[in-house]
Amino acid sequence: MADKTILDYETVDIDLEKKELIIIDQTKLPGKTELIRLSEAKDIWDAIYLLKVRGAPAIGVAAAMGLYILACKIVTDSLDEFYEEFVKCKDYLDSSRPTAVNLHWALERMDEVAKGEILSLKNSNYNYAQEEAIILKALEKECLLIKEEDIWVCRTIGEYGLSLLKPGDGILTHCNAGQLATCKYGTATAPIYLGTEQGYNFKVFADETRPLLQGARLTAYELMSAGVDVTLICDNTSGMVMKNGWVQAVFVGCDRVAANGDTANKIGTSMVATLAKRYNVPFYVCAPTSTIDMSTPTGDEIHIEERKSEEVTEMWYEERMAPAGVKVFNPAFDVTDNDLITGIITEYGIARAPFTQDFIDIFKRKEEAGYGK
Ligand code: MRU
């Protein structure tokens, strides 16, 4: 039997019997594949903040499963108190990272389920233990559904993305919008995986992605595991490979897309988009509809997470590489202006400028398709 690769592990999983969240600790990759089990609120919060689980869709699934696990631990004897505690857990997990809207989106989905169940139980003849069991069953179902949907969403994005590519194409990607950022396929990597299955022989360039090296540690690793021809480049090399004509398309993921198509993704993405425009390379954002935030009008209103300076000055180095006390600006994301984006690929089709109308149509298609799918 072929050796197990990183793609054979679940990025996010749940042990329903033990009520534990199971994730790959991505801070240890590629050197060590370590699965960790979490059941305490602080540990789940830390895992998200410290990027043990990261990537917008994976964060959403982990938070939903984490919230279910925390809900199972609530000890009370009234529905009102249960909901009060539930909301505290939800708000706490929601505070772990601010930019990826999937975190909030997944927690709100769980909240809707809890509220709906509580409302329908209000005048029931069940005792509290029975009511609690009904609510927890519904929350369990919802968090499993969020994961299942993510797999379908990524695969469908992959199919749309693949329709834009030709065999032998060079593709550049930034950060990790791969399987490790989702539950399967990834978003930006989904067309690559599907094309590889069909013999497309893509040549992929993975930006290393300073300062946390998601491109070097995660994207290069998972693509190599799938036998994809991947070349790792420093972030400041992307202009050269585009100028050389080695890149026919850029595919990136996203953390929040505003209603006008402005897109927040890993810091450096807007630089890549600017270069792509300069060298006439189409620039595609792969976006599950759960990442499109119609309540945020433009990129200016997106809250950009700022992280610790040590990620820039010390992390990954044997010794500190910057003078002690130097001022550091370390935003985790930047916003790519909508006019730099050729298309935003969702599971309900590809949006093109002007994006707002296409998003409205896409959400209409989603609604017509029924809840979730
Ligand atoms: O800080 P990270 O590693 O969570 O940032 C991840 C990204 O920016 C990804 O491109 C984005 O979340 C999309 S993942 C499908």
Side-chain angles (χ1 to χ4, degrees):
M1 196 180 115
D3 285 343
K4 195 168 177 176
T5 79
I6 191 64
L7 295 169
D8 297 315
Y9 291 87
E10 301 275 337
T11 307
V12 185
D13 208 0
I14 187 167
D15 183 331
L16 289 173
E17 225 161 88
K18 294 191 178 145
K19 305 279 183 274
E20 288 172 340
L21 175 67
I22 310 171
I23 55 168
I24 306 169
D25 181 349
Q26 297 194 29
T27 61
K28 305 256 169 69
L29 293 175
K32 198 167 169 204
T33 303
E34 188 177 314
L35 298 183
I36 51 175
R37 291 175 164 261
L38 309 166
S39 57
E40 299 299 325
K42 171 86 170 83
D43 294 338
I44 298 169
W45 192 98
D46 279 351
I48 297 173
Y49 175 73
L50 295 170
L51 274 60
K52 292 181 180 186
V53 57
R54 33 67 52 206
I59 293 172
V61 175
M65 290 181 165
L67 183 56
Y68 162 67
I69 289 164
L70 300 182
C72 291
K73 290 171 178 256
I74 296 173
V75 182
T76 174
D77 53 11
S78 87
L79 284 179
D80 287 343
E81 268 175 39
F82 173 88
Y83 187 62
E84 208 176 293
E85 284 306 307
F86 178 83
V87 169
K88 274 189 208 155
C89 297
K90 180 191 77 151
D91 290 347
Y92 178 61
L93 293 182
D94 206 1
S95 69
S96 53
R97 292 193 79 188
T99 306
V101 73
N102 306 58
L103 173 66
H104 182 72
W105 169 87
L107 291 170
E108 285 308 307
R109 262 182 74 160
M110 295 293 281
D111 186 41
E112 285 302 315
V113 168
K115 275 195 303 213
E117 291 296 329
I118 289 170
L119 196 68
S120 66
L121 287 169
K122 271 281 175 209
N123 296 316
S124 75
N125 292 324
Y126 294 118
N127 62 36
Y128 176 72
Q130 290 168 321
E131 289 174 338
E132 187 192 54
I134 290 169
I135 299 167
L136 291 178
K137 199 70 210 156
L139 289 171
E140 176 190 309
K141 198 170 151 211
E142 189 69 5
C143 72
L144 295 176
L145 184 64
I146 291 174
K147 174 172 174 177
E148 190 191 304
E149 280 176 21
D150 180 55
I151 297 170
W152 174 81
V153 164
C154 289
R155 192 177 168 94
T156 310
I157 286 175
E159 285 161 6
Y160 281 116
L162 189 58
S163 72
L164 303 164
L165 293 164
K166 296 186 308 306
D169 273 353
I171 299 166
L172 186 139
T173 190
H174 189 73
C175 191
N176 174 264
Q179 173 156 318
L180 288 164
T182 64
C183 294
K184 204 171 164 65
Y185 305 111
T187 57
T189 56
I192 299 170
Y193 286 131
L194 297 190
T196 299
E197 278 169 20
Q198 297 172 39
Y200 271 57
N201 293 320
F202 295 127
K203 296 196 179 333
V204 179
F205 294 93
D207 283 350
E208 67 174 349
T209 318
R210 284 277 296 154
L212 293 180
L213 304 182
Q214 288 93 333
R217 295 188 303 107
L218 309 176
T219 304
Y221 183 47
E222 63 164 90
L223 290 179
M224 280 179 81
S225 304
V228 175
D229 177 340
V230 56
T231 304
L232 178 64
I233 57 172
C234 293
D235 295 330
N236 48 13
T237 308
S238 53
M240 181 175 178
V241 294
M242 286 192 230
K243 188 170 178 171
N244 286 354
W246 298 347
V247 178
Q248 280 63 56
V250 176
F251 280 82
V252 296
C254 54
D255 288 82
R256 191 182 294 246
V257 180
N260 71 343
D262 289 348
T263 294
N265 189 47
K266 181 52 56 192
I267 188 71
T269 304
S270 70
M271 221 166 61
V272 177
T274 307
L275 286 164
K277 183 135 193 151
R278 172 73 181 84
Y279 294 115
N280 288 319
V281 175
F283 181 92
Y284 295 107
V285 171
C286 297
T289 48
S290 54
T291 318
I292 301 173
D293 178 9
M294 295 301 273
S295 69
T296 297
T298 75
D300 292 344
E301 290 82 39
I302 298 177
H303 179 174
I304 299 293
E305 175 184 13
E306 267 195 61
R307 296 184 61 89
K308 291 190 174 134
S309 59
E310 290 79 9
E311 290 179 353
V312 179
T313 56
E314 283 158 60
M315 217 164 167
W316 318 116
Y317 296 124
E318 271 187 20
E319 60 181 85
R320 192 183 166 90
M321 276 296 142
V326 70
K327 278 200 290 182
V328 173
F329 176 47
N330 183 21
F333 303 97
D334 61 19
V335 172
T336 300
D337 300 324
N338 58 15
D339 62 317
L340 298 173
I341 299 172
T342 313
I344 298 183
I345 307 171
T346 78
E347 72 274 25
Y348 287 100
I350 304 174
R352 296 184 190 266
F355 291 101
T356 313
Q357 187 51 51
D358 277 7
F359 289 160
I360 291 169
D361 295 343
I362 279 168
F363 278 111
K364 209 159 137 210
R365 282 204 283 281
K366 182 174 178 173
E367 206 181 313
E368 281 163 11
Y371 184 60
K373 292 187 184 177

